[in-house]
Amino acid sequence: MIKKSFLLASVYFLLGVAGLKLAIQPGYASAVFPAAGVAFAAILYCGYRLLPAVWLGSFAINLWVAATHADLDYRNMLVAAIIGLGSTLQAWVGVRLVRYRLKDAWRNLDNDHDILLFLFLAGPLACLISSAWGNTALLLFRVVSDDEVLFNAWNWWIGDSIGVMLFAPLGLMVLQRSIPLWKSRIKNVALPLFIVTASIIGAFLYVSHTETLRIKQAVADHGRSLSNQLRAKLLSYDEIVSSINNLLQTNPNLHFADFETFTRQTLQDHLDLQALSWNPVVKLADRTHLETELGREMRIKDFAFTQRDAAGQLVPAAQRNEYVVVRYIAPLDKNRHAQGYDIASDTVRKAAILSATRTGKPAATAPIRLVQARDSSAGVLLLR
């Protein structure tokens, strides 16, 4: 019995892995699951003592699924064990139903009524168990979402049902091959069933491959479209930043009122812009003077340059040889917290500053959390 159990668990695992090559995400439900049919046939013919082998094979398959997703932990081991119980219960119920309704007629299956009842009881009816049981476990452990569970359960049920209806008869033919009646069916039944199964799998793989190529092409086309749109946006933003640069070159003694007036129309035309700012390089020796001057102009008491601390809070900037400070920023009402912020105090922003000064070309930061943002949404800083 130990050898039979090990053989059944091994065959169940190998057929299960092969079947899950046709699986949908997250990988627990397959379009055709031959292991369910083989497990049913083995328990029906050899008895309930092989049920632990079904659990072991199912447990191993679901551990393999978790491992392929690089997510093998105690939670997924528990999920695999629970799903294994559902597969075992399904095989037991299927055998009980067939033996109760067909008595010993399953050994021959020599009329249409018995064949159809055999396939229905063992397939669509009994296969509701593993689908319902397994997907309940996946839902409770948040492996699948509420929106995915019904679709996953449907595919699970279909895969198990087809697996039983196609492979349970094949399994019985192999197990009862010494009986003349079943031996004759190997040629008349097994070969057509094998051809049908191979055709179904081949059609599925072809459609799946074709659909995968279509999706990849659609994603690539969408990516190119987004890239072109983003490139056009950045070019227009670069022109805006260049116009501010020209303004500062012609009017180095610019006041905030002039800066706000100059940028107002641009900001109205480009609603996706969070802000436009002038960030001069300030030497340590000039820090106190500029803090006093800017505080007086903006009517801010005890104005000081700022930076973020380890907790992400704004604090007075530490002493450094130089700063790159947000002197003016518009619109001021929703960006007030950014005024005086030393953008060189942040490594991501500083990398863009160094790139812009080294190349003389515009440089964009990686996505960052803006100082003035009230939530955790990301922004991008374009520097010239």
Side-chain angles (χ1 to χ4, degrees):
M1 187 54 65
I2 293 177
K3 290 182 178 179
K4 289 182 179 179
S5 296
F6 178 76
L7 178 61
L8 176 57
S10 300
V11 171
Y12 190 101
F13 174 77
L14 293 173
L15 288 176
V17 170
L20 290 179
K21 293 297 183 180
L22 308 178
I24 61 169
Q25 291 299 325
Y28 291 90
S30 172
V32 180
F33 196 63
V38 171
F40 166 78
I43 302 303
L44 180 63
Y45 183 77
C46 299
Y48 298 122
R49 290 178 295 176
L50 289 181
L51 283 172
V54 177
W55 178 88
L56 181 60
S58 177
F59 176 68
I61 289 170
N62 291 292
L63 284 185
W64 175 82
V65 171
T68 56
H69 288 80
D71 197 20
L72 187 58
D73 54 21
Y74 290 114
R75 182 180 71 101
N76 283 306
M77 290 178 68
L78 180 58
V79 171
I82 294 172
I83 291 175
L85 289 175
S87 300
T88 307
L89 181 62
Q90 174 175 290
W92 179 80
V93 170
V95 171
R96 291 284 293 180
L97 287 172
V98 167
R99 286 182 173 178
Y100 174 74
R101 293 302 303 272
L102 293 178
K103 308 302 181 186
D104 286 336
W106 64 268
R107 297 183 182 277
N108 298 317
L109 294 178
D110 52 7
N111 64 71
D112 292 343
H113 175 269
D114 290 347
I115 292 172
L116 291 175
L117 189 58
F118 173 88
L119 294 176
F120 172 73
L121 294 175
L125 184 59
C127 289
L128 290 170
I129 294 174
S130 182
S131 175
W133 182 288
N135 281 279
T136 299
L138 294 178
L139 183 62
L140 290 175
F141 285 88
R142 309 312 301 170
V143 179
V144 297
S145 66
D146 296 342
D147 296 334
E148 297 171 328
V149 67
L150 289 178
F151 179 71
N152 197 66
W154 168 260
N155 281 276
W156 190 312
W157 176 71
I158 290 292
D160 275 17
S161 297
I162 293 176
V164 169
M165 289 189 291
L166 289 178
F167 285 87
L170 290 174
L172 286 177
M173 289 177 201
V174 173
L175 292 169
Q176 301 188 100
R177 60 189 179 278
S178 60
I179 300 174
L181 174 65
W182 287 94
K183 187 175 182 179
S184 66
R185 287 174 174 174
I186 292 178
K187 181 185 295 184
N188 298 328
V189 179
L191 185 59
L193 274 177
F194 179 80
I195 294 173
V196 168
T197 303
S199 300
I200 291 173
I201 293 174
F204 182 90
L205 291 174
Y206 173 77
V207 172
S208 177
H209 178 68
T210 303
E211 182 66 8
T212 299
L213 291 179
R214 187 193 67 78
I215 292 173
K216 286 182 177 180
Q217 186 61 46
V219 170
D221 293 342
H222 186 59
R224 281 191 291 270
S225 175
L226 288 177
S227 177
N228 292 333
Q229 292 177 38
L230 182 59
R231 187 178 292 109
K233 282 282 187 184
L234 288 176
L235 287 174
S236 67
Y237 294 158
D238 182 39
E239 292 175 359
I240 293 169
V241 177
S242 295
S243 67
I244 296 175
N245 180 57
N246 294 333
L247 172 68
L248 297 172
Q249 294 293 331
T250 57
N251 189 2
N253 297 317
L254 188 74
H255 293 288
F256 176 71
D258 302 321
F259 182 84
E260 187 177 44
T261 301
F262 182 83
T263 58
R264 183 179 300 131
Q265 188 59 50
T266 299
L267 290 167
Q268 290 176 358
D269 294 340
H270 297 272
L271 298 178
D272 46 349
L273 282 177
Q274 168 73 19
L276 294 169
S277 65
W278 172 28
N279 314 316
V281 178
V282 180
K283 301 297 183 181
L284 177 60
D286 300 323
R287 172 177 175 173
T288 302
H289 172 72
L290 184 56
E291 286 177 333
T292 302
E293 179 183 311
L294 196 54
R296 184 185 304 112
E297 180 184 5
M298 304 305 298
R299 298 178 182 178
I300 302 174
K301 186 178 181 181
D302 300 326
F303 179 82
F305 296 169
T306 59
Q307 66 180 56
R308 288 192 186 276
D309 62 12
Q313 301 299 314
L314 287 177
V315 296
Q319 285 199 351
R320 286 184 284 276
N321 289 331
E322 65 180 25
Y323 310 85
V324 182
V325 179
V326 180
R327 176 165 183 166
Y328 294 150
I329 187 167
L332 184 61
D333 55 345
K334 65 177 182 177
N335 297 289
R336 195 176 299 274
H337 290 300
Q339 191 165 33
Y341 178 71
D342 175 20
I343 63 174
S345 65
D346 173 71
T347 55
V348 177
R349 292 169 171 86
K350 188 171 184 178
I353 293 171
L354 294 175
S355 176
T357 53
R358 183 178 65 253
T359 63
K361 297 179 180 179
T365 66
I368 55 174
R369 181 190 171 193
L370 299 176
V371 177
Q372 61 271 40
R374 292 183 173 86
D375 54 28
S376 59
S377 59
V380 173
L381 188 64
L382 180 66
L383 296 165
R384 187 176 181 88

